[in-house]
Amino acid sequence: SRLNCFPLFVCQIEAGLEMAGNGGYSSNWAASRARTSRYDTEHERRPVKPQAAPSLVPQKAGADNSFVNDMASMHTGMIMEQAIKDRTAQMEREGAFNAKQMLAEQEAAAREGETQEVDEDRDGANADEDDDLEALRARRRKQMKEAQDKKQKNMALGHGCYDEIVEDQFLKTVTASQLSIVHFYHRHFEKCKLMDMHLGKMAKKFYNTRFVKLDAEKAHFFVAKLAVKTLPCAIVFVDGVAKGRQVGFEGLGGTDDFTTAELAWRFKEMGGLEEEFDPDDQI
């Protein structure tokens, strides 16, 4: 059997070289086959039906190749989609995340700015209120100081007391004080004594007005100058100028039982008193 296999192996090599396209071996194939055919086995001598080679016909130009194109387009789309995803991921890692973070920070800063503006507005409003309150307090303190200074000055001029003056002191008295009331009296008239009682009470209540009395019998010049004809007569002076007078008890009900507040209200209507009060107040 070893002898039979060797010639077969040689024949197969020769046949393979011929199929590979070697022209030299193809020309001697018939002679070689005649020499080696005597060594073929029974099976090898059986005839073999030739099989047709597959037809490899090249595709003609313009033939329907839509399926190939669809597959190619799909493949290209998948590649592009993946590339976009990769690029997006890279951008998120490198820059997009920072941009988002920056945007978030800007929005937070904007909100903080708005809150700060609201706080500043609120603080500004509070500051304005504080300034207004402080200004009001400052004005109040100034007014109180001025009132205190004025009171001290008036007290130095004799305000708060009901004093008797002489004719020589008249002009100095009515010009030194802004407000003054001078009572021309007669020492024997009971109504003049009643007027003295009410004016004495007023002097202690209304510090901004100077209250004095002058004996009409000893002040002939000013009695004549001011046309004093009926007693009691109380004349109101504002900066040395006569502004009004209370003659007797006119406007007080025609009786002697009027109150000090009612008489003081008469003087206030003439501009002789600055302080606020009511005619029904107890003085």
Side-chain angles (χ1 to χ4, degrees), residues 265-276:
W265 190 258
R266 293 275 297 173
F267 290 133
K268 184 172 179 62
E269 290 178 339
M270 300 175 194
L273 302 177
E274 284 186 347
E275 292 83 353
E276 298 296 332

Side-chain angles (χ1 to χ4, degrees), residues 100-118:
K100 292 178 181 178
Q101 184 178 5
M102 183 180 298
L103 179 59
E105 292 175 355
Q106 291 177 353
E107 292 176 352
R111 290 193 297 270
E112 183 177 358
E114 293 176 357
T115 304
Q116 185 176 1
E117 289 179 359
V118 173

Side-chain angles (χ1 to χ4, degrees), residues 80-265:
M80 292 299 295
E81 183 179 0
Q82 186 62 38
I84 292 172
K85 291 181 179 180
D86 295 341
R87 182 57 180 169
T88 302
Q90 182 180 0
M91 291 178 64
E92 290 181 352
R93 289 192 303 270
E94 294 179 355
F97 175 77
N98 294 334
K100 292 178 181 178
Q101 184 178 5
M102 183 180 298
L103 179 59
E105 292 175 355
Q106 291 177 353
E107 292 176 352
R111 290 193 297 270
E112 183 177 358
E114 293 176 357
T115 304
Q116 185 176 1
E117 289 179 359
V118 173
D119 293 339
E120 288 178 355
D121 293 340
R122 188 179 297 111
D123 293 339
N126 293 335
D128 293 339
E129 293 178 358
D130 293 341
D131 292 342
D132 294 340
L133 182 59
E134 184 60 28
L136 180 62
R137 291 175 178 173
R139 289 194 298 269
R140 181 58 178 168
R141 288 193 297 266
K142 182 179 180 181
Q143 292 174 355
M144 292 176 64
K145 185 178 185 301
E146 291 176 351
Q148 184 65 24
D149 293 342
K150 184 177 181 180
K151 183 177 181 180
Q152 292 178 355
K153 177 183 177 181
N154 290 338
M155 289 181 67
L157 294 174
H159 290 236
C161 300
Y162 182 54
D163 299 324
E164 183 173 357
I165 62 173
V166 296
E167 189 175 35
D168 293 341
Q169 297 174 318
F170 177 81
L171 290 177
K172 183 179 180 180
T173 300
V174 298
T175 56
S177 298
Q178 181 183 3
L179 300 176
S180 60
I181 296 176
V182 180
H183 174 211
F184 289 87
Y185 77 99
H186 193 284
R187 66 182 183 277
H188 297 302
F189 290 0
E190 293 298 326
K191 288 187 177 181
C192 289
K193 294 178 181 179
L194 184 59
M195 181 68 74
D196 286 340
M197 184 269 295
H198 289 297
L199 293 178
K201 290 182 179 179
M202 291 184 210
K204 297 177 181 179
K205 175 70 174 180
F206 305 107
Y207 286 95
N208 293 328
T209 303
R210 177 78 161 107
F211 292 88
V212 297
K213 64 181 181 178
L214 177 62
D215 189 347
E217 291 184 323
K218 299 179 181 180
H220 296 286
F221 177 80
F222 289 107
V223 168
K225 189 70 174 178
L226 295 171
V228 177
K229 297 178 179 180
T230 303
L231 300 177
C233 180
I235 302 177
V236 174
F237 291 89
V238 178
D239 293 327
V241 180
K243 294 296 184 179
R245 66 182 61 194
Q246 175 65 42
V247 179
F249 298 150
E250 293 178 357
L252 297 172
T255 63
D256 297 345
D257 59 351
F258 57 87
T259 65
T260 302
E262 290 174 344
L263 179 60
W265 190 258

Side-chain angles (χ1 to χ4, degrees), residues 52-80:
S55 176
L56 299 176
V57 180
Q59 186 174 4
K60 296 181 180 179
D64 186 10
N65 56 355
S66 60
F67 176 76
V68 176
N69 292 335
D70 293 342
M71 293 298 294
S73 299
M74 183 182 299
H75 184 65
T76 303
M78 293 175 62
I79 293 175
M80 292 299 295

